[in-house]
Amino acid sequence: MKKSAEKKPTPTKKTASAAKTTAPVKKTAAATKKTAGAAKKTASATKKTTPAKQTTPAKKAAPAKRTPLAKRTAPAKKPPVAPKKATAAVKGVAPAKTVTAKPVREESRTALVRRARRIDRELAEVYPYAHPELDFENPFQLVVATVLSAQTTDLRVNQTTPALFAKYPTPEDLAAAVPEEVEEILRPTGFFRAKTKSVIGLSKALAEDFGGEVPGRLEDLVKLPGVGRKTAFVVLGNAFGRPGITVDTHFQRLVRRWQWTAETDPDKIEAAVGALFPKSDWTDLSHHVIWHGRRICHARKPACGACPIAPLCPAYGEGETDPEKAKKLLKYEKGGLPGQRLKPPRAYLDAGGKPAPPLGAG
């Protein structure tokens, strides 16, 4: 019994082989774990060394293009500061008052009316002698001279009309004139054939329809050949004392520069500007604006540096702002030169104005 108890069971061949097989499997599993661990380490090392997402070179954001110098937005320029005092003074005339220059932007109706009327008051101080710059002694001479002033200067008309009125003093005389003889007289004014036709035609209308007298109503005047609203208002305001606005090229230019209106049609300009002023001011207003346009606020080279209303003008800086250079741009009596009338009013002469020379004078 003791022998059988001491004897241990002998493993069979199959069991031994199974045991042998089991051992490599364990080793393989361990190796696999090691491999997996190495793989994890490699993966973690790869994550550390490789960024999450690399930008493809082809898709790299292009650097911002530099704006060419010519197209770069220039810094906003400060508007020129208008002088505090007028530099263009006429002998015996007080200079314009000191005004702070302010650009006009989105101006209210009330502010526009106040500024427009202030400009007119300032101009009245600068041109107290403002008057129609056509020589005339009666309404007939004024209406004829105004028709002739189209496309030429008042000075040239004034130098031409003395010979015309000396030969044809009345509407009846001019209505019966030989066109070729009138053309020869009017040749210096330009467009003399068309003007001859107009003055002879209006003279016939006056003689036949109005008894040789110039009518004092707008609706009658505009029926005359060559007479439009502008000419009619010149006659009504200066021959009959009836208020009217004369919208010539100077008037149109200045009221737009002053931003009184943006209209370009003469009739609409007349209505827009007329609404800013009392009717009683219309005739003198026309003289003030036209005189300023002829002497200082020129079309091409405004004399901004010599302008007495520069602080009130939103267009200040369009012309020459240097006072000394601007003075050289002044015309007529402002520049010490003769005016446009051969026979100007006494007030004009007293203020330092000079009469224009007759035609052909050296």
Side-chain angles (χ1 to χ4, degrees):
M1 294 299 291
K2 288 181 181 178
K3 288 181 181 180
S4 60
E6 291 174 0
K7 286 184 182 179
K8 294 181 181 178
T10 305
T12 62
K13 290 179 181 180
K14 289 182 180 179
T15 305
S17 64
K20 288 179 182 179
T21 306
T22 304
V25 170
K26 289 181 179 178
K27 288 180 180 179
T28 305
T32 304
K33 286 182 180 179
K34 287 181 180 180
T35 306
K40 286 181 180 179
K41 287 181 180 179
T42 306
S44 62
T46 304
K47 285 181 180 178
K48 288 180 181 178
T49 55
T50 307
K53 288 184 181 179
Q54 290 185 350
T55 306
T56 308
K59 294 183 179 180
K60 283 185 178 179
K65 293 182 179 180
R66 292 183 179 178
T67 306
L69 293 177
K71 293 183 179 180
R72 285 183 180 173
T73 305
K77 293 183 178 179
K78 293 182 180 179
V81 179
K84 292 183 178 180
K85 294 183 179 180
T87 54
V90 180
K91 185 178 180 181
V93 180
K97 298 175 182 178
T98 301
V99 184
T100 303
K102 293 181 180 179
V104 179
R105 293 180 183 176
E106 297 182 2
E107 195 173 28
S108 68
R109 178 70 180 179
T110 301
L112 172 60
V113 170
R114 288 175 177 171
R115 183 171 62 87
R117 294 185 182 184
R118 185 166 187 175
I119 287 176
D120 186 42
R121 290 196 300 272
E122 298 286 351
L123 293 179
E125 293 183 10
V126 179
Y127 309 107
Y129 44 77
H131 55 270
E133 295 195 87
L134 290 169
D135 282 324
F136 70 97
E137 295 178 358
N138 53 59
F140 171 63
Q141 290 186 1
L142 179 57
V143 70
V144 170
T146 307
V147 169
L148 296 178
S149 67
Q151 304 299 320
T152 191
T153 63
D154 288 355
L155 171 60
R156 182 61 66 184
V157 174
N158 292 336
Q159 293 173 329
T160 305
T161 51
L164 179 70
F165 295 138
K167 191 170 185 178
Y168 310 105
T170 67
E172 291 81 3
D173 295 328
L174 191 52
V178 178
E180 290 75 16
E181 294 180 0
V182 177
E183 288 178 1
E184 194 59 33
I185 296 174
L186 300 183
R187 187 179 293 273
T189 65
F191 302 97
F192 57 91
R193 291 189 179 89
K195 291 179 179 180
T196 295
K197 185 178 180 180
S198 293
V199 297
I200 290 179
L202 75 84
S203 296
K204 287 181 178 179
L206 291 175
E208 295 171 4
D209 301 333
F210 299 98
E213 299 292 333
V214 176
R217 298 194 311 166
L218 176 65
E219 54 268 33
D220 293 331
L221 284 169
V222 295
K223 293 178 182 177
L224 300 174
V227 177
R229 289 179 67 86
K230 183 190 83 169
T231 299
F233 280 129
V234 170
V235 176
L236 289 174
N238 298 288
F240 294 99
R242 297 178 183 175
I245 294 178
T246 305
V247 185
D248 70 349
T249 55
H250 301 289
F251 194 95
Q252 292 182 48
R253 179 178 72 255
L254 267 62
V255 297
R256 285 198 294 269
R257 277 182 178 169
W258 296 336
Q259 295 180 11
W260 288 3
T261 180
E263 298 290 350
T264 55
D265 179 74
D267 292 347
K268 292 181 179 180
I269 291 174
E270 176 195 324
V273 175
L276 302 176
F277 295 88
K279 193 173 182 179
S280 58
D281 292 348
W282 288 357
T283 300
D284 287 340
L285 168 69
S286 299
H287 291 324
H288 298 155
V289 176
I290 293 171
W291 274 62
H292 192 62
R294 286 174 172 169
R295 285 151 177 77
I296 296 177
C297 196
H298 314 307
R300 294 185 180 179
K301 290 184 178 181
C304 294
C307 180
I309 60 163
L312 298 171
C313 180
Y316 176 80
E318 285 188 11
E320 180 58 63
T321 57
D322 181 81
E324 294 303 319
K325 292 180 180 178
K327 284 181 181 179
K328 297 178 181 178
L329 300 175
L330 302 180
K331 294 183 178 179
Y332 302 114
E333 82 284 358
K334 290 292 183 182
L337 306 173
Q340 299 199 84
R341 291 189 64 163
L342 277 69
K343 299 178 181 179
R346 186 74 253 169
Y348 175 77
L349 298 174
D350 291 343
K354 300 177 182 178
L359 189 64

PDB file of all heavy atoms in Angstrom, residues 325-341:
ATOM      1  N   LYS A 325      -1.216 136.348 -55.225  1.00  0.00           N
ATOM      2  CA  LYS A 325      -1.478 135.808 -56.563  1.00  0.00           C
ATOM      3  C   LYS A 325      -2.925 136.034 -56.968  1.00  0.00           C
ATOM      4  O   LYS A 325      -3.225 136.276 -58.133  1.00  0.00           O
ATOM      5  CB  LYS A 325      -1.148 134.315 -56.590  1.00  0.00           C
ATOM      6  CG  LYS A 325       0.335 134.002 -56.435  1.00  0.00           C
ATOM      7  CD  LYS A 325       0.580 132.504 -56.479  1.00  0.00           C
ATOM      8  CE  LYS A 325       2.071 132.192 -56.317  1.00  0.00           C
ATOM      9  NZ  LYS A 325       2.311 130.719 -56.321  1.00  0.00           N
ATOM     10  N   ALA A 326      -3.823 135.945 -55.991  1.00  0.00           N
ATOM     11  CA  ALA A 326      -5.244 136.132 -56.285  1.00  0.00           C
ATOM     12  C   ALA A 326      -5.536 137.564 -56.728  1.00  0.00           C
ATOM     13  O   ALA A 326      -6.393 137.791 -57.597  1.00  0.00           O
ATOM     14  CB  ALA A 326      -6.076 135.770 -55.060  1.00  0.00           C
ATOM     15  N   LYS A 327      -4.832 138.535 -56.158  1.00  0.00           N
ATOM     16  CA  LYS A 327      -5.058 139.938 -56.534  1.00  0.00           C
ATOM     17  C   LYS A 327      -4.789 140.180 -58.019  1.00  0.00           C
ATOM     18  O   LYS A 327      -5.409 141.032 -58.645  1.00  0.00           O
ATOM     19  CB  LYS A 327      -4.169 140.858 -55.692  1.00  0.00           C
ATOM     20  CG  LYS A 327      -4.646 141.049 -54.264  1.00  0.00           C
ATOM     21  CD  LYS A 327      -3.726 141.986 -53.503  1.00  0.00           C
ATOM     22  CE  LYS A 327      -4.166 142.163 -52.067  1.00  0.00           C
ATOM     23  NZ  LYS A 327      -3.246 143.072 -51.325  1.00  0.00           N
ATOM     24  N   LYS A 328      -3.857 139.404 -58.570  1.00  0.00           N
ATOM     25  CA  LYS A 328      -3.515 139.570 -59.982  1.00  0.00           C
ATOM     26  C   LYS A 328      -4.613 139.050 -60.918  1.00  0.00           C
ATOM     27  O   LYS A 328      -4.587 139.321 -62.106  1.00  0.00           O
ATOM     28  CB  LYS A 328      -2.199 138.865 -60.277  1.00  0.00           C
ATOM     29  CG  LYS A 328      -1.015 139.432 -59.514  1.00  0.00           C
ATOM     30  CD  LYS A 328       0.265 138.662 -59.798  1.00  0.00           C
ATOM     31  CE  LYS A 328       1.429 139.223 -58.998  1.00  0.00           C
ATOM     32  NZ  LYS A 328       2.690 138.452 -59.239  1.00  0.00           N
ATOM     33  N   LEU A 329      -5.552 138.294 -60.355  1.00  0.00           N
ATOM     34  CA  LEU A 329      -6.636 137.737 -61.161  1.00  0.00           C
ATOM     35  C   LEU A 329      -7.869 138.643 -61.198  1.00  0.00           C
ATOM     36  O   LEU A 329      -8.802 138.376 -61.953  1.00  0.00           O
ATOM     37  CB  LEU A 329      -7.043 136.364 -60.602  1.00  0.00           C
ATOM     38  CG  LEU A 329      -5.958 135.287 -60.578  1.00  0.00           C
ATOM     39  CD1 LEU A 329      -6.485 134.036 -59.876  1.00  0.00           C
ATOM     40  CD2 LEU A 329      -5.503 134.952 -61.989  1.00  0.00           C
ATOM     41  N   LEU A 330      -7.867 139.681 -60.381  1.00  0.00           N
ATOM     42  CA  LEU A 330      -9.034 140.563 -60.319  1.00  0.00           C
ATOM     43  C   LEU A 330      -9.210 141.348 -61.618  1.00  0.00           C
ATOM     44  O   LEU A 330      -8.232 141.726 -62.261  1.00  0.00           O
ATOM     45  CB  LEU A 330      -8.892 141.535 -59.147  1.00  0.00           C
ATOM     46  CG  LEU A 330      -8.732 140.894 -57.765  1.00  0.00           C
ATOM     47  CD1 LEU A 330      -8.590 141.961 -56.695  1.00  0.00           C
ATOM     48  CD2 LEU A 330      -9.898 139.981 -57.456  1.00  0.00           C
ATOM     49  N   LYS A 331     -10.470 141.580 -61.973  1.00  0.00           N
ATOM     50  CA  LYS A 331     -10.767 142.289 -63.221  1.00  0.00           C
ATOM     51  C   LYS A 331     -11.512 143.591 -62.952  1.00  0.00           C
ATOM     52  O   LYS A 331     -12.025 143.830 -61.866  1.00  0.00           O
ATOM     53  CB  LYS A 331     -11.596 141.395 -64.149  1.00  0.00           C
ATOM     54  CG  LYS A 331     -10.846 140.165 -64.652  1.00  0.00           C
ATOM     55  CD  LYS A 331     -11.693 139.382 -65.619  1.00  0.00           C
ATOM     56  CE  LYS A 331     -10.934 138.170 -66.162  1.00  0.00           C
ATOM     57  NZ  LYS A 331     -11.770 137.380 -67.104  1.00  0.00           N
ATOM     58  N   TYR A 332     -11.540 144.405 -63.994  1.00  0.00           N
ATOM     59  CA  TYR A 332     -12.223 145.700 -63.974  1.00  0.00           C
ATOM     60  C   TYR A 332     -11.743 146.557 -62.801  1.00  0.00           C
ATOM     61  O   TYR A 332     -10.569 146.557 -62.481  1.00  0.00           O
ATOM     62  CB  TYR A 332     -13.742 145.500 -63.988  1.00  0.00           C
ATOM     63  CG  TYR A 332     -14.184 144.701 -65.199  1.00  0.00           C
ATOM     64  CD1 TYR A 332     -14.745 143.431 -65.082  1.00  0.00           C
ATOM     65  CD2 TYR A 332     -13.981 145.203 -66.487  1.00  0.00           C
ATOM     66  CE1 TYR A 332     -15.106 142.687 -66.194  1.00  0.00           C
ATOM     67  CE2 TYR A 332     -14.339 144.469 -67.613  1.00  0.00           C
ATOM     68  CZ  TYR A 332     -14.902 143.215 -67.454  1.00  0.00           C
ATOM     69  OH  TYR A 332     -15.253 142.490 -68.558  1.00  0.00           O
ATOM     70  N   GLU A 333     -12.639 147.265 -62.142  1.00  0.00           N
ATOM     71  CA  GLU A 333     -12.159 148.221 -61.142  1.00  0.00           C
ATOM     72  C   GLU A 333     -11.460 147.544 -59.969  1.00  0.00           C
ATOM     73  O   GLU A 333     -10.630 148.150 -59.303  1.00  0.00           O
ATOM     74  CB  GLU A 333     -13.318 149.103 -60.653  1.00  0.00           C
ATOM     75  CG  GLU A 333     -14.213 148.503 -59.583  1.00  0.00           C
ATOM     76  CD  GLU A 333     -15.190 147.470 -60.132  1.00  0.00           C
ATOM     77  OE1 GLU A 333     -15.209 147.245 -61.358  1.00  0.00           O
ATOM     78  OE2 GLU A 333     -15.922 146.887 -59.341  1.00  0.00           O
ATOM     79  N   LYS A 334     -11.750 146.264 -59.706  1.00  0.00           N
ATOM     80  CA  LYS A 334     -11.074 145.550 -58.618  1.00  0.00           C
ATOM     81  C   LYS A 334      -9.585 145.374 -58.912  1.00  0.00           C
ATOM     82  O   LYS A 334      -8.760 145.356 -58.009  1.00  0.00           O
ATOM     83  CB  LYS A 334     -11.714 144.172 -58.418  1.00  0.00           C
ATOM     84  CG  LYS A 334     -13.110 144.213 -57.839  1.00  0.00           C
ATOM     85  CD  LYS A 334     -13.099 144.703 -56.431  1.00  0.00           C
ATOM     86  CE  LYS A 334     -14.481 144.683 -55.812  1.00  0.00           C
ATOM     87  NZ  LYS A 334     -14.469 145.213 -54.441  1.00  0.00           N
ATOM     88  N   GLY A 335      -9.291 145.255 -60.203  1.00  0.00           N
ATOM     89  CA  GLY A 335      -7.889 145.132 -60.598  1.00  0.00           C
ATOM     90  C   GLY A 335      -7.303 146.435 -61.098  1.00  0.00           C
ATOM     91  O   GLY A 335      -6.229 146.440 -61.705  1.00  0.00           O
ATOM     92  N   GLY A 336      -8.014 147.524 -60.859  1.00  0.00           N
ATOM     93  CA  GLY A 336      -7.536 148.836 -61.300  1.00  0.00           C
ATOM     94  C   GLY A 336      -7.722 149.074 -62.786  1.00  0.00           C
ATOM     95  O   GLY A 336      -7.083 149.961 -63.363  1.00  0.00           O
ATOM     96  N   LEU A 337      -8.599 148.301 -63.420  1.00  0.00           N
ATOM     97  CA  LEU A 337      -8.830 148.414 -64.864  1.00  0.00           C
ATOM     98  C   LEU A 337     -10.159 149.096 -65.149  1.00  0.00           C
ATOM     99  O   LEU A 337     -11.027 149.170 -64.280  1.00  0.00           O
ATOM    100  CB  LEU A 337      -8.822 147.007 -65.487  1.00  0.00           C
ATOM    101  CG  LEU A 337      -7.584 146.165 -65.191  1.00  0.00           C
ATOM    102  CD1 LEU A 337      -7.786 144.748 -65.710  1.00  0.00           C
ATOM    103  CD2 LEU A 337      -6.354 146.799 -65.805  1.00  0.00           C
ATOM    104  N   PRO A 338     -10.348 149.594 -66.365  1.00  0.00           N
ATOM    105  CA  PRO A 338     -11.633 150.239 -66.714  1.00  0.00           C
ATOM    106  C   PRO A 338     -12.789 149.259 -66.617  1.00  0.00           C
ATOM    107  O   PRO A 338     -12.617 148.039 -66.752  1.00  0.00           O
ATOM    108  CB  PRO A 338     -11.413 150.688 -68.159  1.00  0.00           C
ATOM    109  CG  PRO A 338      -9.936 150.747 -68.326  1.00  0.00           C
ATOM    110  CD  PRO A 338      -9.384 149.670 -67.461  1.00  0.00           C
ATOM    111  N   GLY A 339     -13.971 149.789 -66.385  1.00  0.00           N
ATOM    112  CA  GLY A 339     -15.177 148.963 -66.329  1.00  0.00           C
ATOM    113  C   GLY A 339     -15.708 148.677 -67.721  1.00  0.00           C
ATOM    114  O   GLY A 339     -14.992 148.798 -68.715  1.00  0.00           O
ATOM    115  N   GLN A 340     -16.998 148.320 -67.799  1.00  0.00           N
ATOM    116  CA  GLN A 340     -17.584 147.956 -69.083  1.00  0.00           C
ATOM    117  C   GLN A 340     -18.448 149.052 -69.697  1.00  0.00           C
ATOM    118  O   GLN A 340     -18.777 148.981 -70.870  1.00  0.00           O
ATOM    119  CB  GLN A 340     -18.431 146.681 -68.918  1.00  0.00           C
ATOM    120  CG  GLN A 340     -17.595 145.497 -68.448  1.00  0.00           C
ATOM    121  CD  GLN A 340     -18.268 144.174 -68.714  1.00  0.00           C
ATOM    122  OE1 GLN A 340     -18.179 143.633 -69.807  1.00  0.00           O
ATOM    123  NE2 GLN A 340     -18.958 143.656 -67.723  1.00  0.00           N
ATOM    124  N   ARG A 341     -18.815 150.040 -68.900  1.00  0.00           N
ATOM    125  CA  ARG A 341     -19.685 151.107 -69.424  1.00  0.00           C
ATOM    126  C   ARG A 341     -18.880 152.320 -69.848  1.00  0.00           C
ATOM    127  O   ARG A 341     -17.950 152.744 -69.163  1.00  0.00           O
ATOM    128  CB  ARG A 341     -20.716 151.517 -68.370  1.00  0.00           C
ATOM    129  CG  ARG A 341     -21.746 150.442 -68.092  1.00  0.00           C
ATOM    130  CD  ARG A 341     -22.870 150.951 -67.214  1.00  0.00           C
ATOM    131  NE  ARG A 341     -23.649 152.009 -67.854  1.00  0.00           N
ATOM    132  CZ  ARG A 341     -24.864 152.392 -67.447  1.00  0.00           C
ATOM    133  NH1 ARG A 341     -25.421 151.797 -66.390  1.00  0.00           N
ATOM    134  NH2 ARG A 341     -25.509 153.363 -68.057  1.00  0.00           N
TER     135      ARG A 341
END
